[in-house]
Amino acid sequence: MKFFYLSSVANSEGSHEVHHRDCELIPDSLNRNYLGPFNNGLEAIRKAEKINPKVSLCEVCCKIISQPIFFKEKNG
């Protein structure tokens, strides 16, 4: 799990970004709110939307990577 924060300062599009603790772009401690531990940015953004409806994921630390899931068929 990673620890996520919500920027209290809006970006150029007017959105508040979700960052994980180790992000190189995370705002200083006075300009962020702790969200909690989550497995990924998508989980963190659900909580962030309760604090501020206009939120987005940081493009550096919260890249959405989708991987296909394969299931093996059971043979007879």
Side-chain angles (χ1 to χ4, degrees), residues 58-69:
C58 172
E59 293 181 7
V60 173
C61 67
C62 297
K63 292 180 183 176
I64 299 173
I65 300 171
S66 62
Q67 297 177 348
I69 299 174

Side-chain angles (χ1 to χ4, degrees), residues 17-75:
E17 293 183 341
V18 171
H19 299 270
H20 72 67
R21 177 176 58 191
D22 300 325
C23 181
E24 62 190 51
L25 299 178
I26 193 168
D28 63 45
S29 60
L30 296 175
N31 293 320
R32 66 182 183 219
N33 298 308
Y34 180 66
L35 293 172
F38 297 96
N39 291 315
N40 56 54
L42 293 177
E43 290 179 5
I45 205 165
R46 283 188 278 181
K47 181 171 182 184
E49 287 173 335
K50 293 177 183 177
I51 297 169
N52 188 321
K54 192 162 186 184
V55 296
S56 61
L57 293 173
C58 172
E59 293 181 7
V60 173
C61 67
C62 297
K63 292 180 183 176
I64 299 173
I65 300 171
S66 62
Q67 297 177 348
I69 299 174
F70 296 98
F71 295 97
K72 291 183 179 181
E73 290 185 33
K74 289 185 176 183
N75 293 333

